[in-house]
Amino acid sequence: MELANRHILLGVTGGVAAFKACELARELQRRGATVQVAMTEAATRFIAPVTFQALTGRPVFTDQWDARIDNNMAHIELSRQADVVLVAPATADFMAKLAHGLADDLLSTLCLARNVPLLVAPAMNREMWAAAPTRRNVEQLRRDGVGILGPDSGDQACGETGMGRMLEPEDLVEDVIAALAPKPLAGRRVLITAGPTFEPIDPVRGITNLSSGKMGFAIARACRQAGADVMLVAGPTGLPTPRGVRRVDVRTAREMHQAVMGELGAVGSATYARSDVFIAVAAVADWRVANVSSSKLKKTADGAPPALEFVQNPDILAEVAARSDAPWCVGFAAESEDLEKNGQEKRLRKGVPLLVANIGHATFGRDDNELLLIDDRGMQLLARAGKDDLARDLVGQIGRRLPAGAG
Ligand code: C5P
């Protein structure tokens, strides 16, 4: 669980989005965190403290004069127990207080007294969000190192539509996990391919493989959590885009090739931001049908099967690795036998510093996997685990191997 052993101080201020904080408290706990709620007086007009107490199993604090804390310094006690303070929803008024260092109630005082990161999830009417004082306060909070999560654009409780909706609880949880994660890829640009490709035979048929895209998507998510700017080129999958990741969908190997080369730009081009790392996780079809039929193939009277001809697809990874401005490349190999030997051979053939071998039929579509990392120093096994856990380990390993300023 990604938030195991994490203690989160959840501050709730007085906006109608306070109802979403109930779901947020549950979701944080579901991921392993303990949650301590502190509310402003205004928040208690929207949700009763007893609701949060029941959801978190802990008494809720609203009053800076609360006598339940032994030394009567709730603002110090509560903030010292936390790994992070998350204020959701954060009203315009509360953000103004934070920006100016006001401390006239328990929550604002503990935000000022904290020695851990502060994240705020704004929630307000669109005009309040756009108002000049709010703009100034948000800018000031950013400069002060406060993480601003959202807001989103959409329908608002007041009946208007626009920017100012609080992020949904699951998005906030993703941002909290990312905020607490180590940052081995801070400031790096990472390009990832994932999923299968689909090579058409005729307008309704094609050739594909059993890759689900789960490993590649998990790696994209882990790279973003590790601080990278991530671009994901995805073959056909039904998977949702990991939060904070840019994505292009493609179908065929040639489309994938084009998307990757488009992202990298012409060799040496000064107008493109260079990718530092390329991780080729996609199970790209080695061949495509050369004689694709423009109409649906029909059975013939003599029962003869269609004569399909094949032509080889471009090897995206090998081509990227061979560029003079190549990013640091990571290849994947789905083998069915002799992982070590085949993996090492493939690493050298593709010309990549790191090759990750896995057993094809033991990973496709599954939620767990086992990875063998092969580089010029030897092998390292990442034992069977969930793909999110493995992705995080792998990204840590990439960060350790990446030369400073690589790319
Ligand atoms: O040669 P093989 O397909 O086994 O190599 C697997 C590795 O090469 C994976 O990283 C895969 O994403 C990449 N690859 C590619 N373009 C291809 C075939 C494979 O980028 N046409």
Side-chain angles (χ1 to χ4, degrees), residues 303-332:
L308 297 180
E309 290 159 25
F310 289 90
V311 55
Q312 201 165 326
N313 273 324
D315 189 321
I316 304 166
L317 176 59
E319 193 176 317
V320 171
R323 289 167 64 114
S324 58
D325 63 349
W328 202 80
C329 290
V330 182
F332 265 69

Side-chain angles (χ1 to χ4, degrees), residues 21 76 83 85 113 136 196 210 252 276 302 348 377:
I76 304 291
D83 293 303
V85 176
R136 286 198 299 275
L210 289 175
T252 66
D276 299 294
D302 62 2
L348 297 172
R377 286 179 312 193

Side-chain angles (χ1 to χ4, degrees), residues 219-233:
I219 291 170
R221 177 172 180 257
C223 285
R224 183 255 174 172
Q225 290 175 357
D229 173 270
V230 184
M231 173 67 169
L232 178 61
V233 179

